């Protein structure tokens, strides 16, 4: 964005912009000008009578924005359209109304701000898809957290035109509990780290903790990310298990958004409501949401707040970044109006309005009893300054873990069974690549739940029916039982045990990949994380198969404008074609991985699925 001097209130009453009398389209300065009345030809007494008769109605209409500005503005205004998080939108509207009433100016034109509501997840998704009308109708985006602007920018692969101008408010994340649950948790004397909070929510006390969906809510996503990071330790398997357990526990009581999760609290203090197993006793919630609840609870239990973290590390906060959507069509007047409105939000009147709605200042100051009304008491660390936001990579990992732990996965393993898989593995006497691969896949299978769907193919030339591949086990839920009582997990275990390298078989990689991907696309399971995993220790050796260029083109066509179905290609050993693996995976939005020891396969698969889940 070009740098300009700070817009101000100055300018003579009735001053006009460079395009007086015009109201341009999206690409020009959006100004409005009142028509000079022809009533001047009439008598002065008639004009005075009209003013007296219509004066009160004009004031009301101006305040509601029905009529264009008059008086000092002479109808010359600059419009600003803001898309704000639902929680902060009412405060912004109040500041915008005051600016309209007081004829606040930007470069001599009166400021006319229109505030709409959009969740961060909705806006980020729209921008990742290319913006379209979502960007055309918005000049300023004010989500509740920078995680949405980061996701919009990092996932799109291009410049989205987002220009952050700083935070306008903040609100720390809390565990908000009804009085009985708060007392059981040791409020207000006991403090919790994120890891301890996860343990309490997953403990034996059957504490019912709700959260908003991390895929739609910054509160839910930030809390999940902190829990994921807090449970990370030296033992990766133990860390994943702890994080997954906490995620599964939260997923059982997840609501679509912040307003919906508040509705899961007891509606009153009766024994029936407090004991209702469908009601949550505590929520992962912003302080501002708890403030709003406590002020308007209408007989529901008042919330008490725990602030996870420590004074040393600071609070995990919603930071409300004020972000300009700078496109090629954005005009200078609108950009300067955006800066002007930001100065109004940061001024004394703007800060009072934000505080009245339960928000802190950007630096975390909670003046005017905000924290106390929300349910804070010493020695909870509610005076802690905002800490550093979680790293983008941590957010992606948390989303991926949520996708495969909560959303459930559906994928097919496609395993190389060519003769080269009989080669010995260095450092593992008596074990072939196939032996170690099967053992690793069996170990990886334990990481998935009975709700996950897994299938199995093998491939090599010289298989039956003249094809390079065959399906051994169709994908089904691991907990699925056939009529004989055998589960899908047992069938896969038996199929793994029976896999052997095909004598004289070569690597039929390309035809296999295309056939497996086509089938995975046809059998796509909505509401699940879908993927295809291909493991090979060589390069394509079928002279009659499709070429690599043709295969890449086919995969791109099968993936374009479709639901995510990443190909995860794993190249095993020194003879695997890493370049081919990378090209095939890239064509589907997937990833390629090289491992020297087949024993690493299960770790690579899990990591790749988590990463792909975070992108999806």
């Amino acid at each position: 964005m070009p740098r300009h001097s700070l817009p101000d209130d100055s300018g003579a009453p009735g001053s006009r912009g460079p395009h007086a009398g015009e109201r341009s389209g999206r690409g020009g300065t959006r100004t409005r000008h009142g028509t000079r009345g022809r009533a001047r030809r009439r008598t002065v007494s008639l004009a005075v009578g009209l003013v007296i008769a219509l004066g009160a109605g004009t004031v009301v209409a101006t305040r509601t924005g029905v009529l264009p500005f008059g008086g000092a503005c002479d109808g010359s205004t600059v419009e600003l359209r803001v898309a704000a998080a639902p929680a902060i939108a009412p405060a912004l509207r109040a500041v915008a109304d005051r600016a309209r009433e007081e004829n606040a100016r930007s470069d001599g034109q009166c400021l006319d701000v229109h505030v709409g509501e959009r969740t961060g997840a909705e806006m980020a998704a729209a921008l990742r898809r290319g913006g379209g009308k979502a960007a055309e109708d918005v000049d300023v985006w004010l989500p509740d957290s920078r995680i949405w602007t980061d996701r919009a920018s990092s996932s799109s692969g291009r410049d989205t035109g987002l220009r952050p101008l700083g935070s306008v408010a903040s609100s720390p994340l809390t565990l908000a509990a009804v009085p009985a649950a708060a007392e059981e948790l040791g409020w207000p004397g006991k403090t919790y780290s994120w890891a301890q909070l996860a343990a309490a929510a997953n403990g034996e006390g059957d504490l019912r903790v709700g959260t908003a969906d991390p895929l739609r809510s910054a509160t839910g996503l930030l809390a999940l990310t902190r829990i994921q990071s807090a449970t990370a330790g030296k033992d990766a398997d133990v860390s994943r298990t702890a994080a997954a357990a906490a995620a599964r526990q939260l997923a059982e009581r997840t609501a679509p958004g912040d307003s919906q999760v508040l509705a899961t609290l007891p509606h009153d203090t009766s024994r029936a409501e407090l004991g209702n197993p469908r009601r949550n006793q505590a929520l992962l919630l912003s302080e501002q949401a708890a403030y709003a609840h406590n002020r308007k609870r209408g007989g529901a239990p008042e919330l008490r707040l725990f602030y996870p973290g420590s004074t040393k590390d600071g609070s995990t906060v919603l930071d409300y970044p004020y972000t300009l959507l700078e496109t090629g069509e954005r005009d200078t007047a609108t950009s300067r109006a955006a800066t002007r409105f930001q100065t109004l939000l940061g001024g004394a009147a703007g800060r009072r309005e934000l505080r009245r709605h339960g928000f802190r200042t950007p630096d975390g100051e909670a003046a005017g009893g905000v924290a106390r009304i929300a349910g804070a008491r010493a020695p909870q660390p509610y005076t802690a300054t905002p800490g550093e936001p979680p790293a983008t990579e941590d957010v992606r990992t948390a989303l991926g873990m949520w996708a495969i732990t909560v959303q459930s996965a559906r994928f097919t393993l496609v395993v190389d069974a060519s003769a080269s898989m009989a080669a010995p593995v260095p450092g593992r006497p008596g074990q072939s690549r196939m032996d170690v691969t099967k053992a690793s896949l069996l170990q990886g299978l334990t990481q998935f739940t009975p709700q996950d769907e897994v299938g199995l193919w093998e491939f090599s030339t010289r298989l039956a029916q003249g094809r390079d591949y065959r399906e051994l086990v169709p994908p089904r839920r691991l907990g699925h039982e056939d009529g004989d009582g055998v589960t899908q997990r047992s069938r896969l275990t038996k199929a793994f045990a029976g896999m052997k390298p095909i004598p004289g078989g070569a690597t039929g990689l390309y035809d296999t990949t295309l056939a497996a991907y086509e089938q995975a696309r046809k059998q796509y399971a909505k509401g699940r994380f879908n993927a295809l995993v291909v493991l090979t220790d060589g390069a394509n050796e079928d002279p009659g198969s499709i070429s690599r260029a043709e295969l890449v083109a086919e995969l791109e066509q099968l993936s374009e404008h479709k639901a995510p179905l990443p190909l995860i290609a794993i190249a095993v050993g020194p003879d695997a074609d890493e370049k081919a693996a990378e090209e095939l995976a890239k064509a589907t939005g997937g990833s390629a991985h090289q491992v020297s020891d087949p024993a690493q396969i299960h770790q690579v698969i899990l990591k790749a699925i988590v990463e792909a889940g975070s992108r999806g």
Side-chain angles (χ1 to χ4, degrees):
M1 183 182 77
R3 290 175 110 39
H4 306 289
S5 59
L6 184 66
D8 56 32
D9 285 336
S10 62
S15 62
R16 295 171 180 254
H19 305 287
E22 299 179 3
R23 177 169 180 167
S24 75
R26 187 72 189 99
T29 304
R30 296 188 304 276
T31 59
R32 300 192 302 203
H33 300 278
T35 304
R36 296 188 181 274
R38 297 179 180 176
R40 293 180 180 178
R41 301 172 185 174
R42 304 180 182 180
T43 65
V44 173
S45 60
L46 177 59
V48 171
L50 286 172
V51 169
I52 293 173
L54 300 177
T58 302
V59 170
V60 172
T62 302
R63 287 183 177 179
T64 59
V66 174
L67 296 178
F69 290 95
C73 292
D74 194 26
S76 176
T77 66
V78 57
E79 293 180 344
L80 186 70
R81 295 170 293 189
V82 180
I88 202 171
L92 300 189
R93 290 193 189 101
V95 176
D97 288 345
R98 179 182 290 274
R100 192 177 292 113
E101 292 171 5
E102 297 179 351
N103 295 331
R105 298 170 182 278
S106 173
D107 287 343
Q109 294 178 298
C110 285
L111 192 61
D112 188 14
V113 182
H114 301 270
V115 180
E117 296 183 10
R118 292 203 186 149
T119 68
E122 291 169 345
M123 194 71 180
L127 290 169
R128 287 201 303 271
R129 291 193 299 266
K133 194 166 180 62
E136 291 176 4
D137 290 345
V138 175
D139 302 308
V140 171
W141 178 25
L142 211 166
D144 51 7
S145 173
R146 76 180 71 177
I147 62 172
W148 300 125
T149 56
D150 288 345
R151 285 189 62 72
S153 300
S154 62
S155 300
S156 65
R158 65 182 184 284
D159 183 7
T160 53
L162 298 179
R163 302 293 179 262
L165 301 181
S167 173
V168 301
S170 68
S171 187
L173 265 61
T174 73
L175 177 69
V178 299
E183 183 178 350
E184 185 176 336
L185 289 167
W187 183 89
K190 187 171 182 179
T191 59
Y192 287 84
S193 66
W194 282 103
Q196 290 169 332
L197 189 151
N202 197 36
E204 299 178 356
D206 294 325
L207 178 67
R208 300 189 297 274
V209 180
T211 184
D213 185 352
L215 300 179
R216 309 184 196 183
S217 161
T219 303
L221 181 51
L222 283 169
L224 181 71
T225 303
R226 291 304 192 198
I227 290 171
Q228 163 83 14
S229 300
T231 54
K234 294 182 180 179
D235 190 323
D237 290 335
V238 172
S239 298
R240 279 193 296 268
T241 301
R248 279 194 291 269
Q249 186 76 10
L250 289 173
E252 292 176 3
R253 312 194 73 84
T254 297
D258 297 306
S259 59
Q260 292 92 335
V261 78
L262 276 165
T264 67
L265 288 167
H267 293 171
D268 55 51
T269 56
S270 67
R271 182 174 298 179
E273 274 292 289
L274 294 175
N276 187 340
R278 300 185 66 179
R279 300 292 182 208
N280 287 316
Q281 300 164 303
L283 304 176
L284 291 168
L285 205 63
S286 73
E287 180 187 73
Q288 186 275 332
Y291 172 93
H293 170 87
N294 283 351
R295 288 193 68 188
K296 303 177 181 179
R297 59 193 181 93
E302 191 173 51
L303 294 174
R304 306 283 188 261
L305 300 189
F306 294 88
Y307 292 75
S310 67
T311 304
K312 177 182 177 182
D313 297 330
S315 302
T316 301
V317 302
L318 301 179
D319 58 351
Y320 294 93
Y322 191 88
T323 308
L324 180 67
L325 269 69
E326 188 179 69
T327 69
E329 299 176 336
R330 188 77 63 230
D331 57 72
T332 301
T334 302
S335 298
R336 289 168 67 81
T339 306
R340 175 64 179 142
F341 186 54
Q342 185 183 17
T343 65
L344 294 178
L345 293 173
R351 290 198 305 271
R352 281 196 303 270
E353 193 62 50
L354 288 164
R355 186 167 62 244
R356 189 174 72 84
H357 284 80
F359 294 97
R360 298 187 179 208
T361 59
D363 63 4
E365 179 186 352
V370 167
R372 179 165 290 274
I373 293 173
R377 297 292 187 277
Q380 291 299 321
Y382 59 85
T383 57
T385 56
E388 288 297 316
T392 300
E393 186 60 32
D394 290 340
V395 174
R396 287 178 178 171
T397 299
L399 280 171
M401 183 267 292
W402 182 263
I404 68 168
T405 303
V406 176
Q407 190 179 16
S408 295
R410 176 189 173 93
F411 62 95
T412 297
L413 294 166
V414 183
V415 182
D416 194 339
S418 60
S420 58
M421 289 292 285
V425 176
R428 297 181 180 274
Q431 292 184 292
S432 67
R433 287 178 187 166
M434 179 63 83
D435 294 332
V436 180
T437 295
K438 292 190 298 184
S440 187
L441 290 173
L442 281 170
Q443 186 176 356
L445 208 59
T446 64
Q447 301 290 325
F448 296 94
T449 73
Q451 300 305 315
D452 293 314
E453 298 181 10
V454 183
L456 178 63
W457 285 30
E458 66 176 355
F459 69 98
S460 172
T461 59
R462 298 196 175 187
L463 287 176
Q465 301 177 342
R467 285 189 271 187
D468 293 344
Y469 51 86
R470 62 184 168 196
E471 184 177 53
L472 299 179
V473 183
R476 289 192 184 94
R477 288 186 303 106
L478 291 175
H480 173 81
E481 292 187 10
D482 287 334
D484 55 5
V486 178
T487 66
Q488 176 77 350
R489 194 183 296 272
S490 297
R491 291 189 181 281
L492 285 167
T493 300
K494 183 178 180 180
F496 283 140
M499 290 180 66
K500 296 179 180 179
I502 305 298
T507 305
L509 178 62
Y510 294 167
D511 280 354
T512 299
T513 300
L514 179 59
Y517 196 83
E518 286 177 330
Q519 178 165 305
R521 179 59 73 188
K522 290 176 183 177
Q523 297 177 349
Y524 190 93
K526 292 183 179 179
R528 291 178 176 267
F529 169 73
N530 290 248
L532 181 69
V533 181
V534 178
L535 298 93
T536 182
D537 73 337
N540 185 65
E541 298 173 316
D542 184 351
S545 75
I546 188 173
S547 71
R548 185 192 300 179
E550 291 171 330
L551 174 56
V552 167
E554 290 279 357
L555 293 175
E556 288 176 343
Q557 185 175 358
L558 287 166
S559 301
E560 189 174 14
H561 305 306
K562 301 287 197 322
L565 179 59
L567 167 63
I568 297 169
I570 301 179
V572 183
D575 302 320
D577 191 341
E578 293 181 52
K579 183 173 177 57
E582 290 173 359
E583 289 187 19
L584 303 184
K586 183 179 179 181
T588 68
S591 58
H593 309 265
Q594 197 279 332
V595 296
S596 56
D597 185 349
Q600 301 169 340
I601 287 174
H602 74 282
Q603 296 174 346
V604 171
I605 290 176
L606 187 61
K607 179 181 178 183
I609 289 177
V610 166
E611 290 176 352
S614 70
R615 291 192 299 272

